[in-house]
Amino acid sequence: MEATVECLVERGWSGTTTTEVAERAGVSRGAQLHHFRTRGELVAAAVEHVGAESVEVLKRRAEIAEKSTHAVVELIADFHASDLFTAALELWVAARTDPELREQVLELQARLGREVYGLALELLDVDDTRPGVKDAVQATLDLVRGLALANQLADDTKRRAHVVRYWARMLEEQL
């Protein structure tokens, strides 16, 4: 699974082949094909696996992190600026024109999205049945996704830090 994500990050969707992944992982092509018939199945499973693992890492980091709104937004923004996001982005772009892959990616995106949303509610210690909370938290997740996208072509760390600080102040007022 990790070899697949590494390959996606380094080579993109078009350069991620089942043969390349099997070589990186040190398994035979037959063993790889036994578990995953298509590149789409392999890549979706890898992103889901690493995504679930990353959510667990995010939870562990949250346990030791400061509990301020700024620290929570920064933590979630850093999570989205990881290699996992880059791998997921490769999948999203490929899924745009591949109906079979699109089905898998939509399911995966929804599941991981719910987990991160729930974790954000927990970390921010807010109740999304209160007016405005659901929209504010979802806007936060959309914002950090956009910031992570901007970071794909050039290091956007400084601007991202400024936007995160600014947004955290606005979010604190809203919540």
Side-chain angles (χ1 to χ4, degrees):
M1 299 293 96
E2 289 173 13
T4 305
V5 170
E6 287 171 10
C7 197
L8 272 173
V9 170
E10 289 174 24
R11 296 177 172 254
W13 173 258
S14 62
T16 299
T17 64
T18 54
T19 303
E20 173 70 21
V21 171
E23 286 176 16
R24 282 179 185 237
V27 299
S28 71
R29 178 112 164 85
Q32 180 265 304
L33 286 171
H34 175 73
H35 295 286
F36 304 101
R37 295 171 313 157
T38 67
R39 175 174 63 158
E41 286 178 8
L42 172 65
V43 170
V47 171
E48 183 169 3
H49 169 78
V50 173
E53 212 171 84
S54 295
V55 168
E56 290 306 312
V57 169
L58 182 59
K59 287 178 182 179
R60 286 193 298 276
R61 286 185 184 158
E63 288 173 4
I64 60 172
E66 183 186 332
K67 298 301 179 200
S68 71
T69 302
H70 177 261
V72 170
V73 174
E74 187 173 53
L75 188 68
I76 295 170
D78 289 347
F79 171 74
H80 281 84
S82 69
D83 283 350
L84 172 66
F85 180 81
T86 300
L89 182 59
E90 288 292 333
L91 261 183
W92 290 340
V93 171
R96 186 180 71 80
T97 57
D98 182 328
E100 183 181 324
L101 184 59
R102 183 180 310 125
E103 258 183 63
Q104 294 173 309
V105 170
L106 285 172
E107 254 179 63
L108 171 63
Q109 179 183 342
R111 194 168 37 256
L112 288 176
R114 282 189 303 272
E115 285 187 56
V116 174
Y117 176 81
L119 184 57
L121 289 175
E122 182 183 324
L123 294 173
L124 292 165
D125 194 26
V126 293
D127 176 3
D128 68 349
T129 61
R130 285 185 28 230
V133 169
K134 183 176 183 174
D135 289 337
V137 172
Q138 189 59 56
T140 300
L141 298 178
D142 291 343
L143 172 75
V144 297
R145 230 179 274 119
L147 290 171
L149 181 59
N151 199 53
Q152 292 298 306
L153 298 177
D155 185 2
D156 204 27
T157 306
K158 187 176 178 181
R159 186 178 79 83
R160 185 175 68 241
H162 172 73
V163 171
V164 164
R165 276 192 306 276
Y166 180 79
W167 183 258
R169 286 192 304 268
M170 290 177 55
L171 182 61
E172 179 74 32
E173 289 175 22
Q174 175 65 32
L175 297 178

